[in-house]
């Protein structure tokens, strides 16, 4: 589709950047940490406060709020034609336990800013426009990540999601009830003409290339594994080293090979060991076992599959060596995603209209847009974040880039909503 | 000192093994668990029942009972000469909450069996012989472990011990009163010519070496450290591998070198990594840091010191490489203990008299004998336990080894008590 430049008073349309910035700083107070980060973990009291504030802002902007059974929040601005499917914009308001002020919340508040700017500009689109904030994108409290959009798009059942437990044994369903955000609206019964998510890059590429906007054409594939290395618990004193079945010692070469696996498929491959849990975790006891998480990523399906097979080979090579059991369970697989050409083109046309430095790129992180793209034409807009730092209290984005991203979102939404 | 073989009717002296075994099985009924273990935690009603039964057996054997202010039990069999310092034998009657039938209780009942056998054999030693059962060896209810022998030998004050609290807030002093075992006898005002403790090994060495008796020449020294490896927290997807500061990856060669350090000083050195705590411990995040415990042991002070210096060298070698900070803090140091040569020789002579398969060894675990050795010539006798398992309801020792250990104790006590 050809996308026309949208002018008003001979100017390309822009958002109110100061308002967006001040809303972001206000939201960052909720769960704000002394180091300047945010702890607004999903379905906690802090998350509830963030949701409450967001809904108030949306209502003030004239939106209609609907909350679905997963606690996903939808704020709708009517278009001229109620028969058209709306354009969806948004991301998530939850954060990592030691997260930053930009991850997720930027995409939600940029979408709100688009609607407030349309109000200011007195523009009514043909199609309605909706903002969404998805529940539990981070996966920090309840596994898996992106479960709100996952249930929405049919990846998981509602029952599965409700039964997921946090470390204290609280289920996601109970946690939704506890903060009063288990909505009535049937999950998934909403259809959209297109979906756009603006987000910080969470990587160092745009900064290194000195670009303000990334036109995101797809997302890396991800495979998650639980690795268990089982030895034998023994007292740290009496048992000689050569008689031990020490799972810590046995783990070292395995993790080394996993890092080497990533190197073999450099530069686009990723291997991350995020968590290691020894049992019983006592200073003077050789652990009986280690439970370890493994996260492998690559933008090409065939290469990610190859990494998957090689990982299994590594595991089988170490299994049953010296009395150590090594087992691997794949718990999640998100294949690489190619975003919708038409939405990419609308974003590309918008960055050209706005004349901001930009590049096409692939996302290294998973996003709700991965699931959305299965049911709706979807693409993403990235802005740089300092040093590529994310999931970190020091996460930082430049105000100029934050505003550029919202301007791109505004113009893209207008093109797609047929203004 | 030369130790002569002791014969009676041309036979090396032996205990009544069946009586010892049946006493051990009877005592194991008190606090016996369905899995075949024992829960006779210090200063509980079960412990009181165990103490009562033990005292009854000692009185039946003609011993004089004295209970000191820490509830340590002493049962004395008179010798020919009241002016000589007695020979002490014993261990502890308390158990872990899910403990076994052998740990501690074996050393006490083997000592009782020695006295009953001397009665049967109509032998009166020159020096008196005493049995001891120390209060709270396990440290499972009141911390620290070995507090009864610790106060006896001046490591802790009586006041300090009385004020130690269990999880319910009950003090050790109150608990002693509650079971009626706060004795009158002033703590520590007993002196001995020698002290011998027979105990299960709590390790796999004797079993692996197919020996029935370990002649224990000392106890390993221990150094405890906190190791911190600090990198940079980043999202598992976007950041390319070569731009990461991954503390997990950086930890692998460090732990490898720690295990190599233990190998360099094999076979007596130990290196244990009991706990690893990543932060934030999230599957899709490269951790910011890992906190790791390190436990190094060696029976020789100079070698343990050498390991200590080499560990520091390893750490400084990795510190500040590729943006990773590596720091090490020593949090505890317990120097090695060398047992008394004369007592070791008496044990060695006894195992040779008895012709049981034996070896010299060093204890990896702490025992009351560590404190005793500070004030009295001390050594220990070990017997194998199945699979090295201890502090476990499945703890198991062979009847034959149990009897061999008591035979060695009998002959050693006779040599030292100048029969």
């Amino acid at each position: 589709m050809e996308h026309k430049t949208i002018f008003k008073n001979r100017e390309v349309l822009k958002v109110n950047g100061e308002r967006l910035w001040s809303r972001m700083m206000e939201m960052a107070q909720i769960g704000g940490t002394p180091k300047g980060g945010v702890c607004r973990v999903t379905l906690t009291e802090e998350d509830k406060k963030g949701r409450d504030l967001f809904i108030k802002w949306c209502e003030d902007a004239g939106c209609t709020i609907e909350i679905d059974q997963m606690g996903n929040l939808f704020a709708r601005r009517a278009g001229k034609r109620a028969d058209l499917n709306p354009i969806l914009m948004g991301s998530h308001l939850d954060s990592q336990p030691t997260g930053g002020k930009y991850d997720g919340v930027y995409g939600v508040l940029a979408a709100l800013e688009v609607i407030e700017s349309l109000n200011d500009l007195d523009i009514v689109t043909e199609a309605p426009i909706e903002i969404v904030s998805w529940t539990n994108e981070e996966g920090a409290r309840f596994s898996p990540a992106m479960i709100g959009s996952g249930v929405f798009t049919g990846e998981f059942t509602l029952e599965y999601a409700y039964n997921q437990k946090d470390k204290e044994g609280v289920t996601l369903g109970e946690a939704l009830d506890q903060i009063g955000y288990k909505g009535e609206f049937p999950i998934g019964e909403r259809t959209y003409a297109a979906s756009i998510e603006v987000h910080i890059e969470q990587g160092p590429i745009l900064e290194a290339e000195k670009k303000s906007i990334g036109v995101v054409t797809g997302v890396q594939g991800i495979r998650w594994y639980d690795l268990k290395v089982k030895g034998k618990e023994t007292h740290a004193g009496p048992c000689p080293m050569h008689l031990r079945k020490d799972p810590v010692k046995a783990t070292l070469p395995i993790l080394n090979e996993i890092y080497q696996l990533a190197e073999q498929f450099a530069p686009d491959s990723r291997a991350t060991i995020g968590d290691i849990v020894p049992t019983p975790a006592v200073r003077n006891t050789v652990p009986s076992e280690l439970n370890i998480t493994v996260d492998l990523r690559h933008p090409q399906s065939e290469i990610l599959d190859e990494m998957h097979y090689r990982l299994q080979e590594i595991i089988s090579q170490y299994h049953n060596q010296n009395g150590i059991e090594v087992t691997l369970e794949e718990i999640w697989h998100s294949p690489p995603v190619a975003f919708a050409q038409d939405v990419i083109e609308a974003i590309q046309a918008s960055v050209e209209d706005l004349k901001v430095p930009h590049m096409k790129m692939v996302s290294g992180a998973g996003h709700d847009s991965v699931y959305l793209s299965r049911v709706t034409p979807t693409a993403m807009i990235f802005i740089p974040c300092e040093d590529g730092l994310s999931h970190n209290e020091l996460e930082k984005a430049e105000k100029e880039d934050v505003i550029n991203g919202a301007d791109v979102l505004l113009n893209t939404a207008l093109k797609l909503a047929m203004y």
Side-chain angles (χ1 to χ4, degrees), chain A residues 6 8 11-22 24 89 106-121 123 198 213 354 381 399-414:
Chain A
I6 298 159
K8 187 141 185 173
E11 298 277 351
V12 178
L13 299 187
K14 295 197 173 182
V15 300
N16 180 337
E18 291 301 328
R19 177 172 55 204
L20 169 57
W21 186 258
S22 79
M24 287 178 68
M89 310 175 295
Y106 169 47
V108 176
L109 297 184
L112 172 64
E113 176 52 39
V114 166
I115 284 181
E116 295 195 285
S117 294
L118 293 179
N119 291 346
D120 294 347
L121 294 162
I123 286 173
V198 57
I213 296 292
L354 287 157
I381 301 160
K399 193 171 169 183
E400 186 190 344
D401 296 320
V402 164
I403 296 170
N404 282 343
D407 286 340
V408 176
L409 183 65
L410 169 67
N411 282 275
T412 306
L414 284 176

Side-chain angles (χ1 to χ4, degrees), chain A residues 28-39 98-101 392-395:
Chain A
Q29 303 284 310
I30 301 175
T33 64
K35 283 186 186 169
V38 168
C39 175
T98 52
K101 290 196 284 279
N392 191 305
E393 291 167 87
L394 303 179
E395 184 183 86

Side-chain angles (χ1 to χ4, degrees), chain A residues 297-416:
Chain A
R297 304 187 185 208
H298 200 279
Q300 286 167 261
S301 197
E302 323 79 71
I303 296 186
L304 186 59
D305 288 349
E306 179 67 23
M307 289 171 72
H308 172 71
Y309 295 123
R310 296 233 192 144
L311 176 61
Q312 290 175 316
E313 275 173 24
I314 292 168
I315 299 312
S316 62
Q317 175 192 331
Y318 285 94
H319 181 52
N320 280 338
Q321 294 297 310
N322 308 314
I324 302 281
E325 284 176 45
V326 188
T327 53
L328 182 78
E329 190 189 352
E330 187 182 41
I331 60 157
W332 187 55
H333 176 201
S334 172
V337 171
F339 282 147
Q341 205 51 44
D342 188 50
V343 185
I344 294 167
E345 282 170 13
I347 296 169
Q348 180 70 25
S350 297
V351 288
E352 287 168 10
D353 293 348
L354 287 157
K355 299 184 171 54
V356 288
H358 62 275
M359 65 184 284
K360 288 201 171 159
M361 66 188 303
V362 166
S363 171
H367 292 284
D368 293 306
S369 289
V370 170
Y371 286 139
L372 261 290
S373 72
R374 298 189 187 176
V375 297
T376 301
T378 298
M380 293 184 73
I381 301 160
F382 275 176
I383 64 163
C385 54
E386 190 177 287
D387 223 5
L389 210 60
S390 180
H391 289 192
N392 191 305
E393 291 167 87
L394 303 179
E395 184 183 86
K396 185 161 181 280
E398 291 297 328
K399 193 171 169 183
E400 186 190 344
D401 296 320
V402 164
I403 296 170
N404 282 343
D407 286 340
V408 176
L409 183 65
L410 169 67
N411 282 275
T412 306
L414 284 176
K415 289 182 207 302
L416 294 168

Side-chain angles (χ1 to χ4, degrees), chain A residues 22 26 36 73 178 215 221 237 265 272 284 293 306 339 361 380:
Chain A
S22 79
E26 191 175 339
L73 312 180
Q178 278 167 12
V215 180
F265 297 98
T272 302
N284 59 351
T293 64
E306 179 67 23
F339 282 147
M361 66 188 303
M380 293 184 73

Side-chain angles (χ1 to χ4, degrees), chain A residues 181-198:
Chain A
Y181 269 96
K182 191 187 272 179
E184 304 271 303
F185 198 89
I187 182 106
E189 293 191 7
R190 309 178 83 87
T191 51
Y192 297 98
S195 170
I196 327 152
E197 181 174 6
V198 57

